Amino acid sequence: MTTATINLDYNQIRNIVMQMPLQEKKRLFEELDDFYATSVSEDLPPYTMAEINARINEAEDDIANGRVYPADEMHKSLENKFPWLCE
């Protein structure tokens, strides 16, 4: 059997995916999700209370200083970035 290697950059792959029918896109994303789920290490240590509290403090600081987005604005941004997921 002969094997060929094809090198595609992000934009080339994105253009191919954008032309796929919706059902094929969904199947592709499910397969990629399965692949990712099996390739991620399960040996991740849990967060410490100090790390959790630091994240909470950071989020509260973001809220207090207006570094937040309304849900509808974030939804619109995601629709623009990933239109094939909203078909």
Side-chain angles (χ1 to χ4, degrees), residues 39-81:
S39 66
V40 174
S41 172
E42 297 295 328
D43 300 329
L44 299 175
Y47 288 112
T48 65
M49 285 307 296
E51 290 170 324
I52 292 171
N53 287 328
R55 285 179 172 240
I56 292 170
N57 291 340
E58 183 180 346
E60 289 175 340
D61 185 60
D62 285 343
I63 293 167
N65 290 293
R67 293 186 299 264
V68 295
Y69 298 96
D72 58 339
E73 186 178 322
M74 184 54 103
H75 183 75
K76 186 74 168 169
S77 171
L78 291 172
E79 277 184 333
N80 291 335
K81 189 171 183 176

Side-chain angles (χ1 to χ4, degrees), residues 25-54:
K25 289 177 195 172
K26 287 180 179 180
R27 192 180 89 232
L28 173 63
F29 286 114
E30 288 170 359
E31 290 175 11
L32 289 172
D33 187 49
D34 290 344
F35 172 78
Y36 180 76
T38 59
S39 66
V40 174
S41 172
E42 297 295 328
D43 300 329
L44 299 175
Y47 288 112
T48 65
M49 285 307 296
E51 290 170 324
I52 292 171
N53 287 328

